[in-house]
Amino acid sequence: MTKTSFDLVVVGGGPGGYVAAIRAAQLGMSVALVERAELGGICLNWGCIPTKALLHSATVLRACREAAHYGVTGAGGARPDLAAMVARSRKVAGRLGQGVAHLMKKNGVTVFAASARLAGSGKLALDDGATLSAKHIILATGARARDLPALPVGERIWAYRQALVPTEIPKSLLVVGAGAIGAEFASFYRAVGAEVTLIDMTPEILPQEDAEISQLARKAFEKQGIRVLTRCAVTASSTTADGVKVTLEHEGKKLEQTFDRVIVAAGIVGNVENLGLEKTRVKVEKTHIVTDDLCRTGESGVYAIGDVAGAPWLAHKASHEAVLCVEAIAGLPVHAIDPLRIPACTYSYPQVASIGMTEARAREHATKTGGEIRVGKFTFAGNGKAIAMGEDQGLVKTVFDAKSGELLGAHIIHPEASELITGYGVAASLEATEEDLMHTVFAHPTLSETLHESVLAAFGRALHA
């Protein structure tokens, strides 16, 4: 007979949910995981992982086309095999999904393939008729793409799921939303040959990033042939035999254009429906569950982590919250997550990565507190490894408190930005000062030397600028 009583039940099997289940099992709890779809959640199956697989295919294609520059002949005529790219992407996601299933079995986590809703104190009702009881319940139900009334998803208007499994390369493509998801899809589809238009309502693409970095990203995208329109919104659309006829409002003017396909990447909403929250003390604001710094909701014994608990909507934030939440339940000493120490990455070409405050936010903070900041910049054009790789375009930017030397923010634009940002993440977590970073020995020749040079530049000591 299947066990129905546990110390902890986790609802949702994404990067937050399955990590919470593993950590709880490691701490000796009896654990169940309820997942209505695929283990690994959206991130593993329809988000982070499959998009990166497609983007890597684009990177290989780009490298082949530019091979002659590196003294390699015969690869310049490389063409995309879209079906093979998509098949590989799905295979990668499938492999990792099997890995999560193995981890659940290895750690003794009971998995229920069902939907669940709160059904009274310490109880969950599953849609298959079963009832689970638990001392603690973690809601990790994630989020989904925001619907735009002017762009109903269908055969020609895609959300991320449809965009990940195309059967043909669109001749022309409109990407609505120039955040991380939109920028990544724009990069992939441009690399495989689509004529791409990327739009956003804000003044710059990647609006959460430092303004200087966003502007550099825009220039890089436009150099690749991506048409970028900011302060632009879709007001109406209609599907025709030839594509999608879209009405755009761009800086007060109306534009009409027909695109072969449209991708909607205009934010997300939390999956808070049908969880049985109505008769509980759990509060929901703007489609996200309200929690304290230990992931506790207003209902005793009920917790929320990951995307459903609000920004930043990042898989690594969800996983970190999972460990924090479970360890707090177990009575271990924990530290609340500082949002300014969570790195953000966009895997476009070039990549953009950041941690902490933008320069504008740091200046605003300094003005309010009577302090000052110091800003350092170093371009990859001065880095030997970047020049050897043929990837010498990009910038590392650091922001420090002038008096204390605290690292307030770091921002990188470069094809390897996502791998480099963790250096600053470690520094921020260890509360390293500019002196600590200056005294750190960086291997040569490496791209990471740019991290060092940017710190030196902030204090007037750059060696290769």
Side-chain angles (χ1 to χ4, degrees):
M1 186 174 180
T2 303
K3 182 177 179 179
T4 59
S5 180
F6 302 88
D7 294 323
L8 172 68
V9 175
V10 184
V11 182
Y18 82 74
V19 168
I22 291 171
R23 185 64 185 125
Q26 289 175 341
L27 292 172
M29 299 183 198
S30 59
V31 187
L33 176 70
V34 183
E35 171 54 57
R36 67 185 181 185
E38 301 153 304
L39 288 174
I42 294 298
C43 173
L44 190 154
N45 294 284
W46 295 101
C48 314
I49 301 303
T51 56
K52 304 314 166 280
L54 289 178
L55 286 162
H56 187 69
S57 291
T59 297
V60 173
L61 178 62
R62 193 179 295 110
C64 289
R65 288 170 172 170
E66 298 172 358
H69 176 71
Y70 300 92
V72 178
T73 61
R79 294 178 291 108
D81 182 338
L82 188 64
M85 288 180 175
V86 171
R88 178 180 179 274
S89 172
R90 301 316 308 156
K91 184 177 180 180
V92 168
R95 175 180 171 181
L96 289 173
Q98 292 173 0
V100 174
H102 169 73
L103 289 172
M104 295 300 95
K105 184 177 181 179
K106 176 183 176 182
N107 287 279
V109 176
T110 303
V111 177
F112 293 88
S115 295
R117 58 185 293 115
L118 299 173
S121 179
K123 293 188 180 301
L124 281 166
L126 307 189
D127 61 357
D128 62 5
T131 299
L132 306 182
S133 60
K135 298 174 185 177
H136 306 280
I137 297 170
I138 296 178
L139 302 176
T141 51
R144 62 185 184 277
R146 183 184 300 278
D147 293 328
L148 295 183
L151 291 167
V153 174
E155 182 181 350
R156 288 188 175 272
I157 300 176
W158 296 342
Y160 58 87
R161 283 180 181 258
Q162 295 84 1
L164 282 168
V165 289
T167 57
E168 61 182 7
I169 299 170
K171 295 177 182 177
S172 59
L173 174 70
L174 172 66
V175 180
V176 181
I181 296 172
E184 290 175 7
F185 277 127
S187 286
F188 170 73
Y189 277 98
R190 181 60 192 141
V192 296
E195 293 295 328
V196 178
T197 298
L198 176 65
I199 70 169
D200 202 277
M201 296 177 64
T202 61
E204 283 295 340
I205 64 171
L206 302 175
Q208 301 302 317
E209 299 293 343
D210 182 87
E212 184 175 10
I213 299 295
S214 295
Q215 290 162 11
L216 289 173
R218 178 173 186 160
K219 290 178 181 178
F221 288 2
E222 290 176 336
K223 186 176 180 180
Q224 296 166 50
I226 297 174
R227 178 190 181 203
V228 179
L229 300 176
T230 50
R231 295 188 175 89
C232 184
V234 176
T235 58
S237 71
S238 59
T239 301
T240 69
D242 299 324
V244 184
K245 186 177 180 181
V246 175
T247 302
L248 303 175
E249 186 171 315
H250 178 230
E251 297 183 340
K253 297 179 180 179
K254 284 191 175 183
L255 304 174
E256 287 192 351
Q257 188 171 346
T258 297
F259 298 90
D260 192 23
R261 295 289 190 277
V262 176
I263 295 177
V264 179
I268 63 173
V269 294
N271 293 323
V272 294
E273 300 85 359
N274 303 315
L275 292 177
L277 304 180
E278 299 80 8
K279 296 181 180 180
T280 71
R281 294 185 180 87
V282 177
K283 293 184 179 179
V284 176
E285 292 182 359
K286 297 180 179 178
T287 80
H288 293 90
I289 294 174
V290 177
T291 64
D292 66 9
D293 56 7
L294 296 182
C295 306
R296 296 174 295 199
T297 71
E299 182 76 11
S300 178
V302 179
Y303 312 79
I305 61 174
D307 286 359
V308 76
W313 301 287
L314 301 165
H316 45 281
K317 173 256 196 183
S319 297
H320 200 89
E321 277 185 334
V323 174
L324 162 72
C325 180
V326 169
E327 291 185 350
I329 289 171
L332 299 178
V334 297
H335 297 283
I337 297 175
D338 181 353
L340 292 177
R341 292 180 181 172
I342 301 175
C345 300
T346 299
Y347 297 83
S348 53
Y349 182 77
Q351 296 179 7
V352 172
S354 62
I355 191 167
M357 299 184 189
T358 63
E359 180 182 352
R361 183 176 174 186
R363 288 194 184 282
E364 182 181 355
H365 177 73
T367 298
K368 290 180 179 178
T369 59
E372 295 182 4
I373 67 170
R374 297 187 71 106
V375 178
K377 302 176 188 179
F378 190 79
T379 69
F380 284 86
N383 177 262
K385 178 69 177 293
I387 294 171
M389 291 171 60
E391 296 285 6
D392 60 349
Q393 299 300 301
L395 176 72
V396 178
K397 180 176 182 178
T398 46
V399 184
F400 290 88
D401 180 278
K403 184 176 181 180
S404 69
E406 178 187 1
L407 177 64
L408 300 177
H411 310 272
I412 308 172
I413 179 168
H414 185 266
E416 298 294 333
S418 64
E419 296 295 337
L420 292 169
I421 196 63
T422 298
Y424 287 130
V426 172
S429 293
L430 294 176
E431 299 183 351
T433 65
E434 92 291 0
E435 186 176 359
D436 297 318
L437 290 168
M438 286 179 182
H439 290 169
T440 299
V441 179
F442 288 78
H444 173 79
T446 63
L447 296 176
S448 64
E449 290 176 279
T450 60
L451 310 186
H452 191 218
E453 289 280 4
S454 182
V455 175
L456 293 172
F459 293 85
R461 294 175 52 181
L463 298 173
H464 294 92

